Amino acid sequence: MSVMTECPQRMLLCDVNKGLVGKKIRLMGVVVSRQTQQAEETTTMITLDDGTALVDVKSRLGGFTQTKTIKLGDTVDCVGTVLMSTGSSSISLSAEYLSIVVDLHAETLRQLEIIQGSNNYISRDENYAMSPQNLFRLIQSAIDVDNRGLSQSELTVLLGIHRDDGMIAELHTTLQQMQADGEIYVDSDGGFVPL
């Protein structure tokens, strides 16, 4: 008889810190690098990015076992133990479970979790919610799910901006700059769409 254990709640990568060393956590992010190191034992390492931070995920003895090879750009969900590198202050995750996310709805849900979490971080990093990278990911997620753009009013709701004229003005300015930079455009329905 197998015993089921509760899976840890998924965290934002920016919340992984020294206070979690030795604890089991769950992360989801996009693979931005992958490397294999041959030493006393083979170690495969990927770097995940969820838009809030980067975290290295390591697997010893043969790497990540998957039916499909993990590639750059894949979104992965993993559970592992937080480690601190010897001789440095860098934090990494020793993976016990890793899965490629193939459900677009799971990716969209994660983007919304990040945006909801970002509302809690505005006091720490006011630029996060309004960053072009975050807005682009949010707009892209809407296209992937509904095949339509997001209006500025929909973005204000998703970002949790409630009658803050300064933040609404900042959102408007950022969206205009993204249009000028050729990252997004406004479709016939008034929604912002990535180029």
Side-chain angles (χ1 to χ4, degrees), residues 89-123:
S89 61
S90 66
I91 300 284
S92 63
L93 187 75
S94 177
E96 298 169 21
Y97 166 83
L98 189 125
S99 174
I100 297 172
V101 177
V102 293
D103 182 359
L104 288 177
H105 298 295
E107 291 184 41
T108 302
L109 174 62
R110 184 60 183 152
Q111 289 299 319
L112 294 173
E113 289 172 347
I114 289 169
I115 290 165
Q116 179 184 17
S118 74
N119 293 332
N120 300 329
Y121 298 108
I122 288 176
S123 62

Side-chain angles (χ1 to χ4, degrees), residues 52-90:
T52 67
L54 300 173
V55 170
D56 292 330
V57 178
K58 300 176 182 181
S59 176
R60 301 198 191 290
L61 302 172
F64 303 110
T65 55
Q66 291 284 313
T67 55
K68 182 179 169 191
T69 303
I70 296 171
K71 304 180 306 284
L72 294 180
D74 284 341
T75 299
V76 296
D77 190 12
C78 64
V79 174
T81 304
V82 178
L83 304 173
M84 180 171 303
S85 298
T86 310
S88 75
S89 61
S90 66

